[in-house]
Amino acid sequence: MKSKTQVHNGNVHSTDTIAGVGAGSSSSPSPPPSPPPRRHSGVSRCRRRPRQAKSSSHTTHSFRTLAAGIIGRRGVRYFFLLPLLYISGLLMCVGPFYALIRQPPLPGSRYRSHEVFQKLWQDIESDNSSAIELSSVWKYKRKLREQKPCPNLTALHQEHFVSPGLNGFLIVEANGGLNQQRSAICNAVAVAGLLNAILVIPHFEFHNVWKDPSEFGDIYDEDHFISTLDGYVKVVKELPEALMERHNYNMSNITNIRVQAWAPVSYYLGAVYPVLQKEGVIRITPFANRLAMSVPPHIQFLRCLTNYKALRFTSSISTLASKLVNRMIEKSSRTDGKYIAVHLRFEEDIVAFSCCIYDGGEAEKLEMDLVRQKGWRGKFRRKDHIIRPSFNRVDGKCPLTPLEVGVMLRGMGFDSNTSIYLASGKIYHGERYLVPLIKMFPNLHTKESLATSDELAPFLGYSSQLAALDYTVCLNSEVFVTTQGGNFPHFLMGHRRFLYDGHAKTINPDKRKLVVLLDDLDISWRTFKEQMEDMLSESDRKGIMVPRVRKINRKTSIYMYPLPECRCLQQFLVNQIDHNLDVPNNYSSRHLNR
C-alpha cells in the first residue's frame, strides 16, 4: 500500500503500512494516531509536583505511625523474644558442630599410667620367662680409633705450668647442689690455670632450696685436693693475712667481677686478667657455668684432673658409701652381685615445679599450688608464665612416677629378682606412689634402708652430703637409670664413661614415647615389651657415643662426655692406679685386661 501523510495543526504524521502486517491480517488501513494531549494555557507543569510530594510524605508518615504503633503496642515483647530465639538457634546449630570439630586429647597428654598398670598387671606378674641378665645388658662396644699418643705429664707440666700462681689470688663462690658445685670447682681450677692465679678453696653459697650449710671441707678432702693439683694450679685454704688486712677482713671489699655465662677464654684474658694483675686478688661471684666448654687442651686437662682425681669425698662420706655399695652387692646375690641404680626425681618440689598433673585430683592441685606459692612466690602466677600440663607431659618434661619406672624396667626384661637402689630425696606421697614399684621389684633399697640410723645420723639435714652417698652407690651399679635430667645424672654419666671404657651404661628413656604408650588403654603387654626393648637398645647405642671435637671447638659438656680430652688422664690412671680415687674395686683389672 501507499504511504499516506497527514497534517494536523501543522504537524506531519507519516503512516507506513505493509501488506500482511498490522492488526490481524486485515488489509484495511490503520486508524489515525491519537491527537496530542491538550495543554491548558497559562498552567505550568511544575505546579503539579508539590501535590505529588505531599502525597508521598503523607504515605511515609502513615507507615512510620503504623510501625510505631506496632512497636509501642506489641513490639515490646518481640523486642525481648527475638534475641532469645536467636541465641537458642545459635546453640542448636553451633553445639553439635563444635562437638564434631573439637580435637581429642593429644596422645600422652593425660596421666593414665596407673590404669594401664592395672590392666597389664597379670601379664607383668607372670612374665619372668624372658628375664635379661644384668651382665649382658650392654652389647655395644666402643671402637677405639687411632689417637695421638698422650704427652708425658712431666712434659705437659714443664710446658704450661712452670711457675703457677704468679699473678694473684682468685676467689669464687660455688652455688647450687652437689654437682653444680662440682662444676664450679672444676671451672675455677681451669680459670686459675688460665690466669696463672692462686686459687682459694671455693666457698659454697647457702641456697634456700637445698638448705645445706656444708662447706668444701665438709664434702671433699681439702688436703687431697691441694696436693693433687700441686704443680699445675696452686691452691690455698684462705687468703694471706696481709691481703685480708688490706681489705679490712671483709671479703665484700675485694673487687668482684661479674662474668657472663659461658664466657670464652678471650674474655678472661682481655677483661679479667688486667684487673687481677692490678689488684692482686679478685672475686668472681656467682660462678656457675662461667667458663665456655671450648678451652685450650692443657686447660681442659685441668678440668679432667680436678673432676676425676682431685675431688675425693671426705673419709666419713667415703666410708659409709663403701658400706652401702658392699651391702647392695650382698643383697644382689641372685644377680651375681650386680644391681640397678635409679635416680628418681619425684620429690614434692620437683613435682610442683614441673606443673604436671597426676592422679591426685583436686586435692593434688591445691597442694601443688601451695608448694609453688611457698617456694617460688608469685612466679607461677605471672601473666607471662603459661602453665600447660598436658603439653609438658607430651614434651617429656614431667617427672616419671615410681610406677612408670617400674613398668618400663619390667618391659625391658628385668625380672622381679633384680635388686634396685633408689637414689632420691623424700618421694612425694611415697606411701602411695612407691607401692606399685615395690610390687614389681621387691628387692628395692635406699640409703635409709641399707644404713643404720646411727650411721646416717651425721648426714641428716645436709642434702649435698646425702647426695654424695647416692652418687657413689650409683657410680658402682651395673645399670644406671636417669629419669629427669639435671647435673646429678650428667656428671654421673660422664664419670661412668670415664671408668667403663667410654660406655655410660645408662638407661636414658625416651619419655615422649613412653608417655604415649602409657596413655593407651588398649596396648598389649607384648607390644609394650617390644617398644621397651627397642628403647633399651637405643640407650645402649647412645651410651658409647663420643662427640666430634675439632681442635678446641667443643659445644657439649666435658663433664657428660669426657672423651676424648680426658683419655690421657684415663690412661695415666690405668698405668698408675691411685687408690684414693673413687672408682670401683675392679677398675684396674678391667682396664689392664681389656
Side-chain angles (χ1 to χ4, degrees):
M1 297 184 63
K2 295 181 180 179
S3 174
K4 296 182 180 180
T5 304
Q6 300 177 351
V7 179
H8 295 280
N9 298 329
N11 295 328
V12 180
H13 299 274
S14 175
T15 57
D16 295 329
T17 305
I18 301 176
V21 180
S25 58
S26 174
S27 59
S28 61
S30 298
S34 301
R38 296 177 62 184
R39 295 183 180 179
H40 300 279
S41 60
V43 180
S44 174
R45 290 184 180 180
C46 64
R47 294 184 64 182
R48 293 175 182 168
R49 290 179 182 172
R51 292 182 181 179
Q52 294 175 357
K54 182 177 180 180
S55 176
S56 175
S57 175
H58 177 71
T59 303
T60 303
H61 177 71
S62 300
F63 176 77
R64 289 177 178 174
T65 304
L66 178 62
I70 293 174
I71 295 175
R73 297 171 186 174
R74 300 179 180 177
V76 174
R77 55 187 174 186
Y78 292 129
F79 179 77
F80 292 103
L81 182 61
L82 287 175
L84 293 176
L85 291 174
Y86 174 77
I87 294 173
S88 300
L90 191 65
L91 291 175
M92 292 176 64
C93 295
V94 176
F97 180 70
Y98 176 75
L100 291 174
I101 65 172
R102 184 175 56 184
Q103 294 292 332
L106 290 173
S109 62
R110 297 167 295 179
Y111 178 77
R112 300 202 294 181
S113 304
H114 56 301
E115 298 178 44
V116 175
F117 171 71
Q118 292 296 334
K119 177 179 176 295
L120 298 178
W121 169 239
Q122 289 185 351
D123 294 326
I124 296 173
E125 187 178 24
S126 60
D127 185 14
N128 274 330
S129 58
S130 58
I132 187 173
E133 296 289 338
L134 280 177
S135 57
S136 61
V137 172
W138 311 114
K139 297 179 174 59
Y140 282 85
K141 303 295 181 182
R142 189 170 67 90
K143 295 180 180 179
L144 297 176
R145 298 180 180 178
E146 185 176 351
Q147 302 280 354
K148 294 181 179 180
C150 291
N152 184 281
L153 292 186
T154 303
L156 180 69
H157 172 267
Q158 291 177 349
E159 182 179 357
H160 297 286
F161 309 105
V162 179
S163 302
L166 294 179
N167 293 322
F169 291 83
L170 173 65
I171 302 171
V172 300
E173 289 186 8
N175 57 352
L178 174 70
N179 290 283
Q180 187 167 321
Q181 292 170 346
R182 192 179 186 107
S183 171
I185 296 167
C186 296
N187 289 337
V189 173
V191 170
L194 185 65
L195 301 177
N196 196 17
I198 299 173
L199 177 66
V200 180
I201 288 282
H203 171 68
F204 288 173
E205 182 183 281
F206 180 82
H207 197 283
N208 289 330
V209 174
W210 290 274
K211 298 179 180 179
D212 187 347
S214 298
E215 285 293 349
F216 187 99
D218 298 320
I219 300 174
Y220 299 106
D221 186 332
E222 288 184 339
D223 294 331
H224 176 76
F225 181 76
I226 294 172
S227 62
T228 302
L229 295 175
D230 187 33
Y232 300 97
V233 172
K234 187 174 182 179
V235 182
V236 296
K237 294 183 179 181
E238 55 187 19
L239 279 177
E241 180 71 16
L243 279 177
M244 290 298 295
E245 183 179 1
R246 194 175 88 186
H247 294 90
N248 296 323
Y249 297 93
N250 189 344
M251 297 290 281
S252 61
N253 291 334
I254 298 174
T255 301
N256 182 41
I257 302 177
R258 298 191 69 86
V259 178
Q260 63 182 354
W262 310 110
V265 169
S266 59
Y267 176 83
Y268 280 97
L269 296 179
V272 179
Y273 182 72
V275 180
L276 176 64
Q277 281 193 313
K278 178 182 177 182
E279 299 290 337
V281 56
I282 58 172
R283 293 168 55 231
I284 302 179
T285 59
F287 196 72
N289 303 322
R290 289 303 187 269
L291 178 63
M293 283 298 159
S294 294
V295 296
H298 68 285
I299 300 300
Q300 205 73 286
F301 173 80
L302 291 178
R303 279 172 160 164
C304 301
L305 182 65
T306 304
N307 194 23
Y308 301 122
K309 193 169 189 292
L311 285 176
R312 186 178 72 181
F313 294 132
T314 60
S315 59
S316 59
I317 294 176
S318 297
T319 300
L320 181 56
S322 296
K323 290 180 180 179
L324 298 181
V325 171
N326 290 331
R327 290 168 189 173
M328 275 303 302
I329 293 174
E330 291 172 2
K331 293 181 179 296
S332 307
S333 57
R334 294 184 180 181
T335 52
D336 297 327
K338 301 182 184 299
Y339 60 91
I340 295 176
V342 177
H343 183 228
L344 184 63
R345 298 311 311 272
F346 202 69
E347 299 95 340
E348 184 180 72
D349 58 331
I350 300 297
V351 175
F353 191 83
S354 71
C355 297
C356 296
I357 297 175
Y358 294 91
D359 58 340
E362 187 64 23
E364 175 190 303
K365 180 182 181 302
L366 294 175
E367 187 177 9
M368 291 295 97
D369 286 342
L370 289 174
V371 174
R372 282 189 283 266
Q373 181 62 25
K374 181 180 178 181
W376 296 276
R377 297 184 180 180
K379 176 178 180 178
F380 292 92
R381 293 187 177 182
R382 294 201 308 258
K383 293 182 179 179
D384 60 337
H385 195 104
I386 301 175
I387 298 177
R388 300 187 298 178
S390 59
F391 285 93
N392 287 349
R393 184 164 179 81
V394 170
D395 202 28
K397 295 180 179 179
C398 290
L400 292 182
T401 64
L403 180 149
E404 290 171 325
V405 173
V407 173
M408 176 188 73
L409 291 176
R410 289 299 296 266
M412 289 178 175
F414 300 104
D415 64 15
S416 58
N417 293 322
T418 305
S419 293
I420 291 182
Y421 179 82
L422 200 62
S424 175
K426 184 179 179 181
I427 299 297
Y428 172 62
H429 287 304
E431 68 283 355
R432 178 164 66 93
Y433 280 108
L434 281 174
V435 170
L437 179 59
I438 297 174
K439 195 174 182 180
M440 288 180 277
F441 293 98
N443 299 322
L444 184 71
H445 308 282
T446 63
K447 54 184 173 291
E448 289 81 8
S449 66
L450 293 173
T452 66
S453 56
D454 291 338
E455 289 174 329
L456 208 57
F459 305 99
L460 297 179
Y462 301 96
S463 60
S464 292
Q465 297 182 43
L466 291 171
L469 296 174
D470 282 337
Y471 187 95
T472 305
V473 181
C474 291
L475 184 64
N476 286 272
S477 65
E478 181 64 22
V479 177
F480 173 63
V481 182
T482 175
T483 63
Q484 186 61 15
N487 288 309
F488 186 98
H490 289 171
F491 265 82
L492 198 55
M493 290 169 69
H495 206 153
R496 290 168 69 85
R497 282 188 171 100
F498 181 80
L499 295 179
Y500 303 129
D501 293 330
H503 201 310
K505 294 190 173 184
T506 298
I507 295 175
N508 192 3
D510 183 348
K511 291 166 66 175
R512 293 185 180 93
K513 179 179 180 180
L514 185 61
V515 296
V516 172
L517 297 173
L518 292 176
D519 189 25
D520 184 2
L521 297 180
D522 296 323
I523 194 170
S524 67
W525 178 239
R526 180 178 179 180
T527 300
F528 184 80
K529 280 198 67 173
E530 290 174 352
Q531 296 293 328
M532 292 302 98
E533 289 167 357
D534 290 343
M535 195 176 293
L536 175 60
S537 178
E538 185 67 5
S539 291
D540 187 10
R541 184 185 68 83
K542 289 184 177 180
I544 62 169
M545 289 179 62
V546 176
R548 180 175 295 178
V549 180
R550 295 180 179 178
K551 295 183 179 180
I552 61 171
N553 183 24
R554 169 185 268 274
K555 296 181 180 179
T556 54
S557 170
I558 193 171
Y559 306 121
M560 188 173 180
Y561 297 97
L563 303 178
E565 291 94 331
C566 297
R567 178 181 61 89
C568 292
L569 176 64
Q570 186 185 53
Q571 291 186 4
F572 173 75
L573 293 177
V574 170
N575 296 328
Q576 297 182 10
I577 296 300
D578 185 344
H579 296 286
N580 291 327
L581 186 67
D582 292 323
V583 297
N585 295 330
N586 59 347
Y587 174 78
S588 58
S589 60
R590 180 189 297 116
H591 285 73
L592 292 174
N593 296 328
R594 64 180 178 179

